[in-house]
Amino acid sequence: MERRKAIVVGAGLGGMSAAIRLSGDGYDVKVIEKNSNLGGKLNRREGKGFTFDTGPSILTMPWVLEQLFSSVHRRLEDYITVERVEPQWRTFFEDGTQLDVTSDLPTMLEEMAKVTERPNRKLTDFLSYSQDMYELCMKSFYKYSIQDLKDLKSHHKLSDLLKMDPMTTIAKSTHKQFDNKYLEQMFNYFVMYVGSNPYSAPAILNQLVYVQLGLGIHYVKGGMYQIAEGMGKLMDELRVDVQLNTPVQQLVVEGEKVVGVETEDGTVHTADVVVSNLEAIPSYRRLAPNSSKVKKETKALEKKFQPTVSGLVLLLGTDKKFENLKHHNFFFSEDPEKEFKQIFDKGVPADDPTIYIGISARSDETQAPAGKDNLFVLTHVPPLTNGKRKPIDWDAYRETVLDKLERMGMEGVRDSIEFEYRFTPEDLESLYGPNGGSIYGIASDKKTNGGFKVPSKSQVYENLYFVGGSTHPGGGVPMVTLSGQLTADLIKENSTEKVT
């Protein structure tokens, strides 16, 4: 009997994860990628002795990668070396306050005592609340491909659903817990792991605090890009056919079924199942036939699922070390409510943005020359809006970012730059195809989508599935990797139903 064929469009982490699982499930798998390398947004750039991870710089929930590799009888540690990072974050506030975030609870309590009385009770209560949320998600969100509230209800009792604090946002729950501007701003920012607004994202996402403080944050020795290389090696062993530098032109459709893809050179690749690692909305816009059914579905998705923030990324190689900085650093805005309002409601870059700086050389000296720093500088900005708003002057915004860093303790950063490269939302969209240059897929919004994502199984065509940040369970390294695994489960479930 001939093996069933699967095509995966795009070799981001979601696509590679699906390819590995489908191969393990007995499919003959082909991955077709338009760029010249694997990894999607997880990429790297080098210059003048500096190495930068150009996408994700923090790894949480490494069990997701372990689960993927063990599903095909491999051990993750034979492919990559995962190390914990401490302190996890160093945070800077405009008034000079500085707090370290650490999973060592006594130290964390000392840090919190700088800004609040009786931190012990506050932290233990909040961690317990956050852990409950995480454990509820382990029963459903991280185990199954969930489409909507009906799906969620099938895995939980009513008491579980109420524990998810469904009527509350992240910001409301942190305010209730801490009533402290420093701690609220710091803990609210954890939701930026999935690129959402804490003032409108559902409280269930407070589990990200436990994900970080309870499970730890990690780095991959040699750079985060090693994850893509490890997956590439595994696909090679599984004889997955990977075709790079091969843009897909369109889906090949017969009636209501997708039966393959056509690449730009005119080659038709047939398959029993097609998995798109390009987000659902761009997949329908660019790859699907222009039918009334596709138009209707695209319009409905656009209304319900807004893209997350995009980013201005500056890769800066500096001729000196900024000794006060750790591996992960956040320079917070003076007024977070105004900042999020500008980005999410007004669709303009914040006047005073929060800036993240990752320096992998703190944990891995191979990443920068001796005595120098490799600064990965990320500022979140609104996604692109198809010409509905005036273009942003990125040269001017670069100055806003550098002015803030100079003001908040990084004196001389401008003069120290000896290597520089930048990515804008326009670059992210043209390189990787996400809707609006979004970094994390779909924004979780209590009102518009209740925190749910685009269904992983196409509502328009049979045999078409989606993986990546716009699908369940969302954006970030563990989530997109998990999306590939959960979508493979869904494919298995649907093919079993067809057989029976």
Side-chain angles (χ1 to χ4, degrees), residues 246-317:
T246 310
V248 168
Q249 180 75 33
Q250 61 187 1
L251 298 170
V252 178
V253 174
E254 285 179 7
E256 304 287 294
K257 276 184 187 171
V258 169
V259 294
V261 302
E262 183 182 339
T263 52
E264 276 186 6
D265 62 5
T267 308
V268 172
H269 303 260
T270 58
D272 300 287
V273 63
V274 173
V275 177
S276 179
N277 194 182
L278 177 62
E279 288 182 9
I281 291 170
S283 292
Y284 285 128
R285 277 192 203 138
R286 291 179 213 168
L287 304 180
N290 195 14
S291 67
S292 58
K293 205 171 176 185
V294 166
K295 280 182 188 166
K296 191 179 170 191
E297 175 71 356
T298 309
K299 208 169 177 183
L301 292 175
E302 285 171 341
K303 193 174 174 187
K304 192 173 179 182
F305 301 106
Q306 298 297 313
T308 69
V309 289
S310 186
L312 172 66
V313 175
L314 303 175
L315 307 177
L316 306 177

Side-chain angles (χ1 to χ4, degrees), residues 363-383:
S363 299
D364 185 348
E365 59 190 27
T366 65
Q367 303 292 290
K372 301 183 179 186
D373 270 341
N374 63 331
L375 308 180
F376 171 90
V377 182
L378 168 65
T379 310
H380 287 121
V381 297

Side-chain angles (χ1 to χ4, degrees), residues 318-325 359 361-362 365 368-375 410-411 416:
T318 61
D319 65 11
K320 65 174 186 177
K321 275 189 163 186
F322 291 87
E323 299 291 355
N324 195 29
L325 270 59
I359 312 175
R362 287 288 177 279
E365 59 190 27
K372 301 183 179 186
D373 270 341
N374 63 331
L375 308 180
M410 291 184 70
E411 295 92 353
S416 72

Side-chain angles (χ1 to χ4, degrees), residues 346-415:
K346 295 183 178 170
V348 296
D351 304 329
D352 172 32
T354 292
I355 300 166
Y356 163 77
I357 297 185
I359 312 175
S360 59
R362 287 288 177 279
S363 299
D364 185 348
E365 59 190 27
T366 65
Q367 303 292 290
K372 301 183 179 186
D373 270 341
N374 63 331
L375 308 180
F376 171 90
V377 182
L378 168 65
T379 310
H380 287 121
V381 297
L384 302 170
T385 53
N386 296 324
K388 289 177 193 163
R389 295 194 189 98
K390 64 177 185 182
I392 292 156
D393 181 343
W394 295 119
D395 290 335
Y397 205 59
R398 170 190 181 271
E399 299 310 311
T400 301
V401 170
L402 294 177
D403 285 346
K404 181 178 173 80
L405 296 178
E406 295 260 6
R407 182 176 75 238
M408 290 182 72
M410 291 184 70
E411 295 92 353
V413 68
R414 250 192 198 86
D415 296 338

Side-chain angles (χ1 to χ4, degrees), residues 54-94:
T54 60
S57 53
I58 295 176
L59 173 63
T60 56
M61 294 164 61
W63 64 262
V64 171
L65 291 171
E66 288 165 5
Q67 176 177 279
L68 174 66
F69 278 69
S70 69
S71 74
V72 286
H73 315 292
R74 304 294 199 284
R75 297 180 334 143
L76 179 67
E77 57 268 34
D78 293 336
Y79 295 78
I80 61 173
T81 304
V82 175
E83 301 168 336
R84 277 182 84 118
V85 174
E86 286 290 351
Q88 297 179 333
W89 294 0
R90 175 158 284 179
T91 65
F92 300 85
F93 296 82
E94 283 278 357

